Every structure is written in structure tokens, then in C-alpha cells.
Amino acid sequence: MKKVATRFAPSPTGPLHIGGVRTALFNWLYSKNKGGKFYLRIEDTDKERSKDKFKNQIINSLKWIGINYEDSEYIQSKKMDDHVNVANELLEKGLAYKCYCSSNEIEEQKKRAKQKKIPYIYNRKWRNKSDSDAPKDIDPVIRFKSKIEGKSILKDLVQGNIEIENNTIEDFVILRADGSPTYNLSASVDDHLMGMTHIIRGDDHKINTFKQIQIHEAMNWKIPSFAHIPLIHTAEGKKLSKRDNASTLDDYSKIGIMPNALRNYLLRLGWSYKDKEIFNLDESIKYFNLEGIGKSPSKLDINRIYSINEHYIKNIDENDLFSFLKTYCETFKEKIPDAAEKKIKKSLHFLKNKAKTLEDIYENSKFLINDKIQINREDKKLIDETAIKIIKFFSDDINKLSDFSRETLQPIIDKLIKNNNTNFKGVGQPLRICLTGSKFGPGIFDILCSLGKEEVLKRLSQIR
RNA sequence: GGUCCCUUCGUCUAUCGGUUAGGACACAUGGUUUUCAUCCAUGAAAGAGGGGUUCGAUUCCCCUAGGGACCGCCA
């Protein structure tokens, strides 16, 4: 049995969206599960629309989410000669032919078909004509001689057997008038050249598959296995496209979603293994299979993304969490100063408990990142006479403390509550506001301990 | 319009002919709590409709309805 080889083959004509990432993930996991190889092929034969910017974005996206590929990227445009050669070979063998129809002529036919509401299919006009009839002023395209009789059955690994009448597939163009190869030709040739054994892609490719199989057959190549996965839909139930907002990886990373969480989410979107929800990387590889892929399209659910992210925040190793946080802050917020690093690391155990995203952690650690505390006007009103008095007493009391911990602080707070005839809020709230600039946030003891005695005294002294 | 595909709680899904149709997220209610959260408990919530096949269908088949994809000298 040949070693499994899969590939992800995006065209760099726009930002990669998470549907594409999921396709890449499935291909990658499948090959890893089988101990095979996974490749990235950049389909950049459309020179007009392909942009390096998008190519880099694709590469970075895969890197971010942890999908690695063999060798360097396979650049399709570099193989165009091979594609052209195959077209010529098919031509020589009589399995393809030159079509001299002008584009106007084709357009006319399409228009007419539309008016009559009948399906347009190229009429195979030049299929059996000889070149001697050819008009001099037209550069021909090369069309593949598709099967006309009978049916084809695609044994799809996800969708089961798909049967189609051969005559519904037209004699598609494989070489343009300018001599450049088209998608179906290039993809077929490259899949063969790269030794692909399994092609896992969106089911919007199903018709292409019938065409590509025919090219493989005509060239006597081994035909890979196919798995067409349902597309991801938007909340409105339409195919997810590059133009939808919240569709690229960046849209998620910038709100503080972690790569492993998104990977887990994408894996479970349209795929399942019993009732299991959380899959770490090893488990993803271990359990992934094609049988678990559902047949119906699934919708994106941001709540689920948050929830899985939250789970990862609370359960991964704190050193890992910190490095995700560090990268996140540096990329999207502000660099965490060295001085704050230690404090945040020490505080992660409580910071993470109130966070769904890295952004939440960042928001709650601002008081550790910045020494300057900003208090808004509303909150300032809460610091009244009594509050200032309490703060003063508190400062005096902790000043005497040699051991600064929850155990030593608790009695002080209790005493203040009693002496001032108030409740916990009466003491905790002003302290929290003065120390962090916010009414909300971590528990007051957590704030106190992570700041440390000196810093607490310093911040409180600025209020009096 | 043609071809092909799909259809279980709002969402992601489990079930591979016999279940009180299960789980997770979201939602609601209650509890814990030091604000915001967390956490715990409880609750509401689904087999599109109609025919078959069968002792028995969510599960197999057919029809209808709804949804989707494709129909480029783009990929």
C-alpha cells in the first residue's frame, strides 16, 4: 500500500478563510493519522489575481494554527510547462482537440441557452472537425474530449457513491488561447506529479473531480481517492467566502482566540468522535478519520469558539498560556514590560479564571502592566470621605505588615468593615478602584498579593 | 433552468432497526461568592412533511418541501 499523501491547494487570490483552514486541517490530520505526508501547493496560475501578500498570509495562517507541511511550498506556476506538455500529449493521442470557436460565439450560445432556460453546454463543434477547416484569425483553445456515453460513479469517501451522466460534463478547456493551462489540467497533473493518494477538499469541487478523474484515466495515471467535505456556512446559511467578516484567522487571533482552541473548534465542526469535545493535538491525530465527517454543511458558532477557548485558557499549562498571552499582547495590544512579566505569570492562576479570551486576560492584567492608574469620573465619585478614611487606615495597617498575604490581610479588612460599620463592598470597592482603576476585576486579595506591599502603598498614597 | 448534495434541540453533534432520543455550547432558574466572573445544581429545547418495508423505524426505500453547491479560456 502506498504511503498516504495529501495536500492543501489554495489559490493566493484572497485571504485564506477558516473554511480553507479546516480543509487544510483535515488533510493534515488525515495524513498524520496514517503516518503519511502533507503538502502545501500554491495554485497561482492566475497571474492577474494571485498576490504574494495572500500567499504569505496563507503560509502564516497554517503556521499559526500549527499545520506544518513537507518541504517548501509547491508553486504551481513553476510547473506550467509540465501541464502544457500533458495537454499536447492528450492532443497527439486524440484525447483532446483544438476548438476554434471565438469567445463571442461561445458567449452567444450561453446567452441563448439562458433565454431558452435550457442548460448551456459547449456543443462540441470542433470535436470531430479537422484543422484544415480552421479559421486563420483565431487562436484555438484545447478542449478535453469528455465522455459522452454512459455514467460515471465517484466513490466518495465522505459522500458515498455519486453518480452522474457523462454527457452533463462538457468538453472543458485545458489550454487557453494564450497557451496557458487551466485549473483542471494543472490540478490533475500536479496531483499526479506529487503522488497524491487522497484528495480532501470542499464539495464545491465535485464536478471538477469528474473532470480530473477523466484526465487521469486518459493519461493512464493512478486515480487518487476523493473525500468531499461539506462547506462551512455563515449564520445565514450561505457558503463562507473571503468577503464575510470574521472569516480569517486574524479575525479570531485579534480577539484573543488561541490557535489550539481554534484548531479544536474547527476539528469538531462537521466532524465528531463519539461525544468527545476536547481533542489535544495528539488526540486529534490519533482519532481523526474520514468516517466521522458529517454530510451536511455546518454553521459557524462564535459562542462555541469562545467556550472552547475558555476551556483551553483554564486547562493548558500556565507557561504555555503565558507565552500565548505575551505574543498576543505584543501583536495586538502592547508589549508586556519585563517588570510585569513575573507579576502576570504569578497571577495567571486567578486571571485565567475570569477569561474567555486572551483579550480578557489582558484587560484584567492592565493594572500589572501599567503603573499609572486611570480612574474614570463615575468611579471617582465612589471614593468619598469614608472611603478615603478607610484607605488611610488600610495603608497604615499594612505598612506594619512583614508578611503580606491573604492570611495577614484578611483580619485587617475584617477590622475595617467592623470599625466603619460597612460591608465587604464598602472596603473592597474603593481599594479595587484605587489599585486597578476599575470596579470590576480579580478578587481584592488577589490584586493585593500580586501587586505586593510596596506597590499597594505607592498606589494608595496617590489617592490621599 | 440543469446536474449533484444535504435535512436530529437555536448551534455543533451522538444514535450504525428496539433508547425516557444522549452530550456540548448558548439560553432560563436557583445556589456558592468579594465586584465582574468562575463553579455547582436544575430546567426548557430536536428526528421537515407524507407514503412504504418491518413485529418495530430518527435509523432502510420512495415522493414532496426546504436548504446548499456547481454550471468560466477563475481556482
Side-chain angles (χ1 to χ4, degrees):
Chain A
M1 197 58 188
K2 204 177 163 194
K3 207 171 179 184
V4 165
T6 64
R7 96 283 123 128
F8 175 53
S11 65
T13 54
L16 179 62
H17 61 76
I18 61 173
V21 175
R22 188 183 65 145
T23 304
L25 179 67
F26 282 13
N27 275 284
W28 182 70
L29 287 175
Y30 185 74
S31 75
K32 292 292 153 200
N33 174 270
K34 299 288 180 193
K37 304 207 167 202
F38 170 77
Y39 298 87
L40 173 63
R41 182 167 82 218
I42 302 292
E43 305 213 323
D44 59 342
T45 53
D46 184 340
K47 282 293 167 201
E48 289 293 301
R49 299 198 302 140
S50 295
K51 298 276 181 297
D52 264 5
K53 172 177 97 174
F54 296 129
K55 183 181 87 177
N56 294 331
Q57 188 253 358
I58 290 166
I59 291 170
N60 289 334
S61 290
L62 296 183
K63 199 172 182 180
W64 182 77
I65 206 159
I67 296 175
N68 51 339
Y69 44 88
E70 302 289 330
D71 314 327
S72 53
E73 308 81 51
Y74 182 106
I75 305 296
Q76 188 166 58
S77 58
K78 290 183 180 167
K79 300 284 179 181
M80 277 164 74
D81 288 349
D82 292 315
H83 309 158
V84 172
N85 288 341
V86 170
N88 287 135
E89 194 178 329
L90 289 168
L91 197 57
E92 278 164 33
K93 287 180 177 164
L95 299 168
Y97 61 94
K98 289 179 182 170
C99 162
Y100 291 89
C101 292
S102 67
S103 33
N104 282 347
E105 196 176 341
I106 300 284
E107 286 307 314
E108 273 303 307
Q109 287 172 16
K110 279 186 192 171
K111 212 184 282 173
R112 229 175 298 148
K114 203 162 196 176
Q115 278 169 1
K116 287 196 208 159
K117 293 200 166 186
I118 53 170
Y120 166 76
I121 182 164
Y122 170 68
N123 61 14
R124 306 189 176 94
K125 183 175 167 188
W126 288 87
R127 184 163 168 131
N128 296 309
K129 276 192 168 188
S130 83
D131 277 2
S132 51
D133 300 331
K136 291 278 183 294
D137 56 337
I138 287 182
D139 290 328
V141 297
I142 295 182
R143 287 181 185 270
F144 182 81
K145 273 190 189 171
S146 278
K147 291 178 186 169
I148 298 175
E149 304 290 328
K151 297 174 179 179
S152 292
I153 296 174
L154 166 63
K155 288 180 184 156
D156 193 273
L157 264 22
V158 168
Q159 317 241 348
N161 288 176
I162 303 167
E163 198 176 290
I164 193 172
E165 296 280 347
N166 285 141
N167 63 17
T168 59
I169 293 175
E170 67 171 359
D171 287 353
F172 53 96
V173 173
I174 53 175
L175 223 55
R176 300 187 185 93
D178 67 2
S180 64
T182 63
Y183 167 73
N184 280 302
L185 205 228
S186 296
S188 303
V189 176
D190 285 342
D191 283 335
H192 170 70
L193 255 29
M194 294 168 77
M196 292 299 109
T197 61
H198 296 261
I199 291 171
I200 304 167
R201 59 188 2 171
D203 68 12
D204 50 342
H205 277 288
K206 257 184 290 186
I207 298 296
N208 290 325
T209 299
F210 284 99
K211 296 176 180 174
Q212 292 169 203
I213 285 177
Q214 287 201 45
I215 292 177
H216 275 76
E217 284 173 343
M219 292 301 292
N220 240 313
W221 292 335
K222 185 164 173 17
I223 297 167
S225 299
F226 289 90
H228 289 94
I229 62 180
L231 269 9
I232 293 180
H233 280 181
T234 61
E236 290 75 42
K238 300 275 188 237
K239 173 184 173 178
L240 189 68
S241 84
K242 305 171 184 192
R243 303 175 71 176
D244 287 302
N245 46 3
S247 74
T248 67
L249 249 39
D250 250 22
D251 294 325
Y252 295 94
S253 61
K254 78 176 174 216
I255 57 172
I257 302 297
M258 300 190 292
N260 45 181
L262 197 60
R263 189 213 70 236
N264 195 147
Y265 171 75
L266 253 19
L267 171 65
R268 276 289 284 100
L269 187 66
W271 178 85
S272 63
Y273 179 80
K274 299 182 181 167
D275 272 345
K276 197 169 163 59
E277 301 282 352
I278 302 298
F279 294 82
N280 66 32
L281 193 57
D282 288 343
E283 290 170 328
S284 303
I285 293 170
K286 184 173 164 195
Y287 295 119
F288 187 77
N289 58 18
L290 263 20
E291 295 76 52
I293 300 176
K295 289 185 172 188
S296 52
S298 31
K299 289 176 190 161
L300 236 30
D301 180 7
I302 189 68
N303 278 322
R304 177 55 75 87
I305 298 179
Y306 280 130
S307 143
I308 293 183
N309 199 241
E310 184 179 9
H311 179 274
Y312 274 79
I313 282 182
K314 292 191 171 129
N315 291 285
I316 63 172
D317 180 88
E318 278 182 17
N319 289 319
D320 294 341
L321 179 59
F322 182 78
S323 77
F324 281 130
L325 180 71
K326 192 177 171 182
T327 311
Y328 171 77
C329 289
E330 203 167 329
T331 314
F332 298 104
K333 302 294 182 184
E334 58 184 306
K335 196 172 182 305
I336 298 177
D338 292 345
E341 247 188 55
K342 226 169 127 184
K343 285 185 197 163
I344 292 177
K345 265 188 187 167
K346 221 175 61 187
S347 311
L348 232 34
H349 70 94
F350 66 82
L351 288 171
K352 71 182 181 184
N353 277 333
K354 27 193 357 109
K356 277 183 158 52
T357 64
L358 295 173
E359 186 171 30
D360 292 342
I361 300 186
Y362 165 74
E363 289 298 332
N364 276 325
S365 5
K366 267 184 176 167
F367 77 103
L368 294 170
I369 296 173
N370 300 305
D371 297 341
K372 286 260 183 301
I373 298 304
Q374 302 277 342
I375 302 173
N376 69 39
R377 206 170 296 154
E378 282 301 303
D379 290 345
K380 210 150 208 166
K381 285 183 197 159
L382 294 166
I383 314 294
D384 54 12
E385 295 282 313
T386 325
I388 290 176
K389 203 174 77 189
I390 289 172
I391 288 167
K392 187 179 177 312
F393 281 131
F394 182 77
S395 299
D396 291 345
D397 280 349
I398 64 168
N399 204 11
K400 299 172 200 148
L401 247 38
S402 57
D403 173 31
F404 196 76
S405 67
R406 189 187 174 115
E407 285 68 38
T408 55
L409 288 164
Q410 181 87 53
I412 294 174
I413 302 257
D414 288 345
K415 194 183 81 184
L416 283 171
I417 293 172
K418 207 174 151 199
N419 291 353
N420 291 281
N421 196 22
T422 181
N423 54 17
F424 194 95
K425 194 178 171 187
V427 177
Q429 195 171 62
L431 279 178
R432 183 198 311 282
I433 292 170
C434 295
L435 293 170
T436 71
S438 170
K439 264 186 298 195
F440 314 118
I444 192 67
F445 291 109
D446 288 331
I447 294 172
L448 257 13
C449 292
S450 58
L451 243 22
K453 181 175 156 184
E454 302 307 317
E455 183 66 21
V456 169
L457 284 171
K458 193 176 128 200
R459 290 189 187 188
L460 293 181
S461 69
Q462 284 159 359
I463 298 299
R464 291 198 260 174

